[in-house]
Amino acid sequence: MWKQFLNKLPRKSQKSDRDLARNPNLGPNTPGSGRASSGNAAAKRASAAVFPSSVIAGIEPLLAFKDVSNSEKMNLFISKLSLCCVVFDFTDPAKNVQEKDLKRATLLELVEFVSENPPKFSEPAILASCKMCSINLFRVFPPNCRSRSTSSGENENDDEPTFDPAWSHLQLVYEFLLKFVTSSSLEAKAAKKYVNNDFISRIIDLFESEDPRERDCLKAIMHRIYGKFMVHRPFIRKCISNVFYRFVFEVEKHNGIAELLEIFGSVITGFALPLKEEHKIFFWKALIPLHKPKSLGVYFQQLSYCVTQFIEKEPKLASNLIEGLLKYWPITSSQKEVMFLGELEEILEVISMTEFQKVMVPLFCRIRHCINSYHFQVAERALFLWNNDQILSLIAHNRQVILPIVFPALEVNAQNHWNQAVLNLTMNVRKMLTEMDDALVSACISNYQEQQEKVSSSVEKRKQVWDHLENAASLQPFARNTAVLVTH
C-alpha cells in the first residue's frame, strides 16, 4: 500500500523526492515541498484511492499536525494510523527502504501527538489506534518476516536472547500504545470496548517473545492497562494465572515469567484486607508451584518478592509457603537449594510463633540434611541461618524440639566435613547452642553418643552374622548347580 501510495504521488524532480525521503512531513501544503496546487489535488486523489474517505475523512496522511486546524487533527490522526497499518519484511534490509522510513517517521509523529495532551480521543480514533497496534503486534507473520518465539518459548541458544529485526518499528508502536493508554485524553469508559478481553489476552500472549526489549515494553503497558481499566482487572489476573499454570504443569518453558511476576508484585501491594479467597488460591496454586521448575533462577527474585508481599498482607500464609517449599525442595540441584534457603530466611524473619510451630519439625529435619550437604555452599547457607537474630529467637523459644533434631548433624560435620569454612561455622553454631542451653546440649551429646554406640553395635552384629554364614558355606562340599555365596 505504501508503494502504491508513493507511485501515485506526482513527482516534480529528483530533488523533491530526496527532500521527501529526508522529511516525510513535507506535504503538499508545506513550504519548500516543491509541489504545485495541481500536485496537491493529485496527492489527495491518490490518498483517497488507498484509504477510503470514510476512514481518513479526506485528510492527506502525509500532512504534519501543525499544518491542519484543531478541528481536523483527529481526522489526520486517524489517517496516519491507517497509513501505519502496513507491515514490512525486515529480514531484507534493502527491501521497501523508502516506505519503511516513511512509516517510521509517521509513527514518530503519532507518538509525539499522543504525548502532547491532544483533544479527547473519539471512538473512531480509539478504534483506529487499537487496530494499528493489533496489526503491527498481533499479526501472524510469515516464516521470513517478523520472528516470534515458539509456543514453548525455546531459543536455539538459551543463553542468548533473540532480537527482533523489526524493532525499529515495533518499539515505536509499543511507545505509542503506552502513551495512548496513559493519556488523559483517553477515557476508560469509551476505550474498554476496544481495549477488551481479546486485546488484553493477546498482549499477554506476547510475553513469550524472545526479545527482552519487547517484554519490558509489554510489562509497562500491562501495568498501565491494569491501573486504568478496573473492569478488566479480574480478567488480567486470570490470564496471568493461566500462563503460570501452563508453565508449571505442562511446558516449563516461557520467556516472560519474570516480567509477569513483576506485574503481579505491584498488583499484590494493592490488595485489600482481608484477602479474597481468589487471591489465596492464586498464592497456593500458582506462586508456590512456581518453585518447582528447573529454570527457577531466571525469575526467583521476582517470585520471592511476590510471596513476601503476600505474607506481609496475610501472615498466616507463611506456614503454607514453608510446606510448599518442603514439598518442592530440590534434591539434585545445589543452586536451587541455596535459593530455597535464602527464601526461607526471609520468611522466618516475619513469621509468627504460632505459624512457625506448625512447621518447625519438618523444616529443621530438612535443614539438618542441608547442614550435612557435601556441597559446601548449601551447608554454609544452612548454617548462616543461626546468624539471624530473629531466627535464633525462634530456635531459642523452641529449643527443646529443635536442638535434638539438628545437633546430630552438627556433630557429624565437626567430625567428618571436608570444607574448613563449614567446619568453622559448625563450631560457631555449636558454641551458640551451648550458651543458649548447656544442659540441653549435654543431653543431646549424650543421646548422640548412645545412638552412635547402637549403630556401631548393629554394624558389628551384622558383620558377625555374615562371618558366620561365610564360615558355614566354606565347610559345605562344592557340588554342581550349587549357589555360591558372594561376600561384599
Side-chain angles (χ1 to χ4, degrees):
M1 184 167 64
W2 279 92
K3 188 173 182 180
Q4 178 186 1
F5 178 75
L6 292 170
N7 287 340
K8 288 186 177 182
L9 288 175
R11 300 176 182 272
K12 183 174 181 181
S13 66
Q14 292 182 352
K15 181 178 182 299
S16 299
D17 291 341
R18 287 195 300 271
D19 291 341
L20 179 61
R22 284 195 297 269
N23 185 3
N25 293 331
L26 289 175
N29 295 330
T30 306
S33 64
R35 299 181 184 275
S37 59
S38 60
N40 180 14
K44 287 182 176 290
R45 288 196 300 272
S47 179
V50 179
F51 307 108
S53 59
S54 59
V55 176
I56 68 166
I59 297 294
E60 168 56 47
L62 293 185
L63 284 173
F65 282 106
K66 63 182 178 62
D67 293 329
V68 297
S69 64
N70 288 334
S71 61
E72 292 292 333
K73 282 186 177 179
M74 199 54 65
N75 287 333
L76 179 58
F77 176 69
I78 296 172
S79 178
K80 288 180 180 292
L81 287 168
S82 300
L83 199 62
C84 292
C85 287
V86 181
V87 180
F88 297 106
D89 180 2
F90 281 84
T91 58
D92 183 0
K95 189 176 180 181
N96 303 117
V97 175
Q98 189 178 16
E99 291 90 337
K100 290 174 183 176
D101 289 344
L102 283 169
K103 180 180 176 181
R104 177 174 170 78
T106 306
L107 286 169
L108 285 168
E109 284 187 283
L110 291 170
V111 171
E112 184 179 0
F113 178 74
V114 297
S115 302
E116 294 179 346
N117 194 26
K120 185 176 74 173
F121 291 113
S122 62
E123 188 166 332
I126 299 171
L127 170 61
S129 298
C130 291
K131 178 183 177 183
M132 187 275 288
C133 293
S134 297
I135 288 174
N136 282 276
L137 302 179
F138 307 149
R139 188 169 179 266
V140 179
F141 290 86
N144 293 326
C145 194
R146 181 185 171 196
S147 64
R148 273 285 178 208
S149 62
T150 61
S151 59
S152 66
E154 185 175 11
N155 296 342
E156 291 181 4
N157 185 338
D158 290 337
D159 296 329
E160 298 179 4
T162 300
F163 295 104
D164 201 317
W167 185 246
S168 60
H169 282 191
L170 289 176
Q171 182 183 20
L172 293 174
V173 176
Y174 279 122
E175 189 175 351
F176 168 83
L177 181 56
L178 179 62
K179 300 287 187 183
F180 178 71
V181 169
T182 57
S183 174
S184 59
S185 302
L186 179 68
E187 294 182 349
K189 186 176 180 180
K192 67 180 182 181
K193 178 180 177 182
Y194 305 103
V195 183
N196 53 21
N197 287 355
D198 180 63
F199 186 88
I200 290 169
S201 64
R202 296 177 82 178
I203 284 282
I204 292 174
D205 287 342
L206 290 178
F207 276 90
E208 273 197 304
S209 169
E210 296 173 3
D211 193 329
R213 302 168 302 181
E214 184 170 21
R215 298 197 301 270
D216 281 341
C217 291
L218 289 164
K219 178 179 64 178
I221 290 166
M222 189 51 60
H223 267 299
R224 299 299 188 175
I225 291 176
Y226 189 91
K228 188 156 192 168
F229 297 89
M230 294 184 66
V231 67
H232 293 321
R233 288 181 181 181
F235 180 77
I236 293 172
R237 293 196 298 268
K238 181 180 177 181
C239 283
I240 295 177
S241 298
N242 289 339
V243 172
F244 292 158
Y245 296 147
R246 183 168 180 267
F247 170 67
V248 172
F249 299 110
E250 294 181 24
V251 296
E252 286 201 7
K253 292 182 183 297
H254 194 290
N255 294 313
I257 298 299
E259 288 82 5
L260 290 171
L261 283 170
E262 282 189 43
I263 294 171
F264 238 103
S266 62
V267 168
I268 294 166
T269 59
F271 285 167
L273 295 177
L275 288 178
K276 294 180 181 178
E277 192 66 19
E278 170 206 342
H279 304 326
K280 293 180 182 179
I281 290 173
F282 173 78
F283 177 80
W284 294 324
K285 295 189 175 181
L287 289 186
I288 292 178
L290 276 172
H291 290 84
K292 176 186 175 184
K294 61 183 180 181
S295 58
L296 172 66
V298 175
Y299 56 85
F300 175 73
Q301 184 178 355
Q302 292 84 356
L303 176 60
S304 184
Y305 177 78
C306 285
V307 297
T308 302
Q309 291 296 308
F310 258 106
I311 292 171
E312 288 181 1
K313 291 278 185 181
E314 183 59 80
K316 291 183 179 180
L317 294 174
S319 58
N320 299 126
L321 178 56
I322 291 175
E323 289 171 351
L325 290 176
L326 296 175
K327 177 182 178 181
Y328 295 112
W329 198 273
I331 303 301
T332 59
S333 174
S334 300
Q335 183 182 10
K336 282 185 68 175
E337 278 196 278
V338 171
M339 288 189 281
F340 273 47
L341 287 165
E343 187 169 343
L344 270 178
E345 182 171 2
E346 292 185 13
I347 301 164
L348 294 175
E349 284 181 344
V350 298
I351 196 170
S352 67
M353 187 64 71
T354 303
E355 296 302 312
F356 174 74
Q357 290 173 343
K358 290 179 182 178
V359 295
M360 63 182 179
V361 173
L363 171 60
F364 277 88
C365 286
R366 172 51 59 188
I367 291 174
R368 177 184 64 195
H369 288 294
C370 293
I371 290 172
N372 289 147
S373 173
Y374 282 110
H375 195 289
F376 77 97
Q377 289 179 327
V378 175
E380 262 187 343
R381 195 65 188 80
L383 291 166
F384 277 144
L385 294 175
W386 271 262
N387 291 339
N388 188 300
D389 291 339
Q390 178 63 23
I391 297 174
L392 197 60
S393 175
L394 293 170
I395 294 170
H397 281 86
N398 299 278
R399 59 185 179 274
Q400 297 294 334
V401 175
I402 296 173
L403 263 62
I405 295 174
V406 301
F407 206 84
L410 297 174
E411 289 296 301
V412 170
N413 268 16
Q415 296 172 17
N416 302 315
H417 206 283
W418 65 272
N419 185 271
Q420 188 60 47
V422 173
L423 284 173
N424 294 338
L425 286 169
T426 299
M427 301 310 294
N428 289 339
V429 171
R430 281 189 59 183
K431 183 180 178 182
M432 286 183 193
L433 298 181
T434 302
E435 293 172 352
M436 183 186 297
D437 193 329
D438 185 48
L440 181 57
V441 168
S442 297
C444 289
I445 292 173
S446 177
N447 185 60
Y448 173 75
Q449 291 172 346
E450 288 178 9
Q451 293 296 324
Q452 289 300 105
E453 289 174 1
K454 288 180 181 180
V455 170
S456 299
S457 176
S458 176
V459 170
E460 182 61 29
K461 286 180 180 180
R462 187 164 61 249
K463 185 176 182 301
Q464 290 175 1
V465 170
W466 277 106
D467 289 343
H468 176 72
L469 290 173
E470 288 176 359
N471 289 333
S474 66
L475 296 175
Q476 296 296 322
F478 178 76
R480 287 182 177 274
N481 300 325
T482 302
V484 179
L485 179 65
V486 178
T487 59
H488 296 278

